[in-house]
Structures are given as structure tokens and as C-alpha cells.
Amino acid sequence: MEYSKKILVTGGAGFIGSHLIDLLVKTYREYLIINFDKLTYAGNLENLKGVEQSPNYCFIKGDITDRAALTKVFEDYGVTDVIHLAAESHVDRSIDAPQSFVETNVLGTLQLLAVCRQFWEGQAGHLFYHVSTDEVYGTLGETGLFKETTAYDPRSPYSASKASSDHLVRAYFHTYELPVVISNCSNNYGPRQFPEKLIPLMINNIKHEKKLPVYGDGQYTRDWLWVEDHALAIDLIFHRGVVGQTYNIGGNNEWKNIDLVQRLCDICDELLGRPAGTSRQLISFVKDRPGHDRRYAIDSGKIQRELNWSPTVAPEIGLRMTAKWYLEQEEWLESITSGAYREYYEKQYGS
Ligand code: NAD
Ligand code: DAU
């Protein structure tokens, strides 16, 4: 079959990438979706069970820092577009060991940009879509929202590496006229997120009646977006976004961490048939994350006005679906939380 687009999705075996691939493969049979992923601890081909047999999907194991491997994919498949999600994504890990964050997020992005330039220069009809984070904007006080025009002020090695990659993407647009688009999104939640992140970590610990480690005073605030709503936003921006532009994506759904953890306790108690209030007793305030950003909140007015996007899943429903999914995924959780992750968890939180 002659595909109208051959889209290289990097990091497609991870949390957001696998949901995006589900959407693209099923919606656009006329596109070939090439999943390029190193399969780090965070990548899992189980996440792609729903599409692995589809004729318009293929997987290539590879590292975005490997220029020769990228070149080969462009040669073999005639890649027309890139949606770039591959990254080291966990803030706590970046604090413990920043090196791989610079290697993948900065140098890997640079390799990818260079290969796109090499193959696409002087041609029309291509797009480099860079998936980024609201953390590049730094931290907010009690009020205010991040806009596309907010100055960058990253605070952690993770956000510094993502900010750096955003700057490189814009530099390739201005310097080499590479057609790019960037989106900066708030915290995603939903099935298949690696259980080092707040929501799945808490659900898993509630299930196993382990302590629920809330950092600092628990008053830190995040804006949570259902992961499939992020995938829908990426689809819209990919097809209708203006080249050279940035779009902020958020859930308009702010929670203080402690309130969110308490809500998860209550939902899980209900789903597990435990007496109300049982799991809240597991909450334990622990040492704070160094340089912990106090509050993130997104103004997503631009994507709402220009592309008619808005979140579709209400928080209560999304949290319930997420809790139910994790409580039922004994095997999935066991397979990824054994081995190296168990060592990481014990180092971080004790056994
Ligand atoms: P994730 O950690 O779940 O998945 C990352 C994927 O990238 C994994 O499959 C991993 O194997 C792959 N990968 C890592 N290094 C690689 C390399 N060198 N070469 C090829 N593949 C590599 O991450 P996620 O939460 O799905 O985030 C995806 C993207 O979205 C990231 O760029 C992240 O910065 C961004 N983002 C995430 C969130 C969020 O809340 N999770 C919010 C906004 C933006
Ligand atoms: O804002 C977008 C970002 O959201 C993404 O770019 C990152 O890839 C993603 O990991 C996420 O970063 P956060 O640091 O906000 O997510 P995390 O789930 O690690 O933490 C959410 C909040 O919960 C944060 O304030 C720290 C706190 N926390 C986290 C963990 C893991 C706890 O209190 N206890 C915990 O055990």
C-alpha cells in the first residue's frame, strides 16, 4: 500500500506515545506509523498490544542518540513527518542522575533534528512535532497561568533538558526553516503510566497497603489531563497547527497533591470494598523533592480558540477509570515493578 504519510513516532512504547499510536493507527489507515523506541525501563511493548498486528504499524528498537540508526529508518521508510516524544521523563530520576536526561532529551533531539534537515531540506510537506512539557516555564505562586509567551525558567535537570530541546527545535525553525511545531502539556494521567509517577504509585501502594509518600507539606499543585485528551490534542495540532507555533495543553483541573492522594484513597477503598477512610491512614509526609516546583497551571485558551480542542474526560471519571485499570493490572504491574524498578523504589522510599 502507498501510504500518504510515514510518521516516525519516537518514544511510542511509553505512556503517552502508546496512547498516541493507538489513536493514529486506528484513525488513519492511510498513514504508516513507525514506532522508534529504545525500550528503556519506561518503554513496554505490552502497551501496544492493541495495534501490533495492524498493517499500518511497525516497531523499530533504536536510540535517538544513534545518528546511523535514525538515518537508516529515514532511508528505509521515507519518513515524511516526526512526532517526537522519546525522553527521560521522571523528575526524581533527573535529580539523582542528570546525565541520561541531557543525552536523550538534548543530544537525542539534536540528532533527530539534524536527520530531518538532512532528508527534508528544500522540500515541502514535512513536519517535526516536538512534544514538550509545561515544566519549562518554572513554577507559579497561588495565582496565574502559564501562557505560550511565559518566559522559560526550568528548575530541575529534567525541565532544563526539555527547555534546551525546545530551544533547539525553535533554532532549527529559524535557522534552517525546518517546519516545526511544539506543544507544552501539563501532567498526564491514565492507564499505562510507569508507577514511579504520583498517581499510579499511590494506587499501587494503596492496593498493597504500603505507605503513601507525600512530598513536603503536600500543598504542591499540578494540573492533570487525561492522557487520551493529550493524544487528541497532538492529533489536532499535527494536522491543523501553524508551523513555527507553540500550543499549551492543560486539563483545567488543578489539584493539591494531598487532596488528590486522599481522593485516590477514597476511590480505591470503594473499588476494593474496604471501609471508608481505611487507605487515608497510609498517607505519610516524607522528605521534600529538592527544588520542588510549587504550582503548575496552564492557560490552554490558544488551542481551544484556534483548534477547538478542550478536555473531554471529567476528573472524577478519569481518576476512577485509572484506579480501576491499575487495580486490575496485577501482571502488568508485577512485570514492570520487579527487578530494577524495585531497587529504585527501595532506594527512594525504603521497602
Ligand atoms: P515515558 O517515560 O512513559 O516514555 C518515554 C519513552 O521514550 C519510553 O518508551 C522510552 O523507552 C523511550 N525512550 C527513552 N529514551 C529513548 C532514546 N534515547 N531513544 C529512543 N527512545 C527512548 O514518558 P511519557 O510520560 O510518555 O512522556 C512522553 C513525552 O511527553 C516526553 O517527551 C515528556 O517530556 C512529555 N510530557 C510528558 C508529560 C507527562 O505527564 N507524562 C506531560 C507533558 C509532556
Ligand atoms: O507537568 C508535566 C510533567 O509532569 C511531565 O513533563 C513529567 O514528565 C511528568 O513526570 C510530570 O512531572 P511531575 O514531577 O509533576 O510528576 P510526578 O508524578 O513525579 O509528581 C507529581 C507531584 O507529586 C509532584 O508535586 C511531586 C509529588 N509526588 C510525587 C511522587 C512520585 C509526591 O508527593 N510523592 C511521590 O511519591
Side-chain angles (χ1 to χ4, degrees), residues 14-16 37-38 40 43 63-64 85 89 104 132 158 162 188:
F15 168 47
I16 301 170
D37 197 297
K38 183 181 174 182
T40 65
D63 187 329
I64 56 165
L85 296 100
S89 69
T104 287
S132 193
Y158 164 69
K162 291 297 289 188
N188 286 215

Side-chain angles (χ1 to χ4, degrees), residues 10-17 36-44 62-65 84-89 104 131-134 158 162 184-188 192-194 196-197 230:
T10 69
F15 168 47
I16 301 170
F36 186 88
D37 197 297
K38 183 181 174 182
L39 298 182
T40 65
Y41 78 94
N44 184 352
D63 187 329
I64 56 165
T65 64
H84 176 35
L85 296 100
E88 288 294 338
S89 69
T104 287
V131 176
S132 193
T133 169
D134 61 355
Y158 164 69
K162 291 297 289 188
N184 296 83
C185 188
S186 63
N187 288 60
N188 286 215
R192 307 181 201 150
Q193 185 168 35
F194 196 85
E196 64 193 348
K197 308 277 166 56
H230 188 189

Side-chain angles (χ1 to χ4, degrees), residues 278-333:
T278 306
S279 298
R280 284 184 181 219
Q281 289 163 29
L282 298 168
I283 292 173
S284 156
F285 290 93
V286 300
K287 191 163 155 283
D288 211 347
R289 171 186 281 177
H292 198 168
D293 290 334
R294 193 65 170 167
R295 175 172 166 260
Y296 303 145
I298 283 270
D299 177 348
S300 48
K302 179 173 171 179
I303 184 174
Q304 300 202 8
R305 278 188 311 277
E306 296 184 9
L307 302 181
N308 199 24
W309 174 89
S310 53
T312 63
V313 173
E316 187 55 29
I317 298 191
L319 289 177
R320 201 167 273 274
M321 288 195 291
T322 308
K324 199 162 179 305
W325 189 85
Y326 280 97
L327 293 177
E328 286 168 359
Q329 298 300 316
E330 190 61 60
E331 270 176 43
W332 186 90
L333 272 171

Side-chain angles (χ1 to χ4, degrees), residues 229-251:
D229 278 331
H230 188 189
L232 286 167
I234 294 174
D235 179 4
L236 265 181
I237 294 168
F238 177 77
H239 287 99
R240 296 187 20 226
V242 176
V243 167
Q245 291 283 308
T246 290
Y247 297 86
N248 279 357
I249 308 169

